[in-house]
Amino acid sequence: MNNQRRDRKQFGRTRTMDGAFLAVLPDGYFRASDFSPHDTEHGSWPKDSTAWASLKKHLADKQNDLHFDYDHQTIFAEVNDQPAPVDGRIKASVFEYVPDKRCLYTNVKWNDKAAEHLFKDEYRYVSPVFDYGPDGCCPIKFR
């Protein structure tokens, strides 16, 4: 499918063009739309240069591409016995951190079905899955 560029200004919104930058995590304190985390000091996760150093270390250790899936299905597949199709892939080496902006990555390779969903705005936001530190603090690695 031919992906068309769409300008997005909100954090986490997808773009339907391969190779376009896509924001994963905002800089500073943030939380999920369900208001998690509930087990951290500030009720949010900090994303700063310290968190980026940990994320970068774990990204450097990744041998396989990271993936995008629908509704976190790769996490829930064992529980709900539903398929977990991957809709996009990204190389761990292309993540970039821009202080006071966002944690960015580029060159998402969307499959045709995912590109169609994005073009129709059926999936408008990305929702990264990550582990955070034992102190309930900084994100330390993407899953």
Side-chain angles (χ1 to χ4, degrees):
M1 168 172 237
N2 182 17
N3 291 332
Q4 296 180 6
R5 181 182 176 158
R6 292 185 175 191
D7 290 328
R8 303 293 189 197
K9 298 197 186 299
Q10 279 186 291
F11 158 71
R13 290 201 64 181
T14 57
R15 288 190 184 194
T16 60
M17 182 175 124
D18 286 341
F21 280 97
L22 185 65
V24 182
L25 300 175
D27 207 29
Y29 285 90
F30 69 98
R31 62 180 170 205
S33 60
D34 68 356
F35 301 105
S36 59
H38 304 288
D39 58 350
T40 64
E41 179 181 350
H42 301 286
S44 59
W45 296 289
K47 174 57 195 53
D48 56 17
S49 58
T50 303
W52 171 240
S54 182
L55 289 168
K56 187 175 180 179
K57 175 190 173 300
H58 287 283
L59 286 168
D61 294 340
K62 294 282 289 179
Q63 294 181 353
N64 297 324
D65 292 349
L66 291 119
H67 67 271
F68 292 92
D69 65 3
Y70 301 101
D71 305 315
H72 300 303
Q73 181 55 26
T74 54
I75 296 171
F76 301 119
E78 288 185 27
V79 176
N80 64 21
D81 202 30
Q82 298 294 313
V86 171
D87 59 352
R89 297 186 184 280
I90 184 173
K91 297 202 175 298
S93 61
V94 299
F95 277 77
E96 177 185 351
Y97 173 62
V98 180
D100 301 320
K101 296 291 180 187
R102 297 175 175 353
C103 173
L104 301 174
Y105 55 92
T106 189
N107 296 327
V108 178
K109 302 298 180 192
W110 302 109
N111 67 29
D112 289 345
K113 184 177 178 182
E116 184 176 342
H117 284 302
L118 297 172
F119 181 76
K120 292 178 179 178
D121 276 339
E122 293 171 344
Y123 285 86
R124 295 174 56 190
Y125 300 93
V126 295
S127 179
V129 176
F130 54 86
D131 294 332
Y132 52 98
D135 58 355
C137 188
C138 299
I140 57 173
K141 71 177 182 179
F142 292 109
R143 287 198 218 166

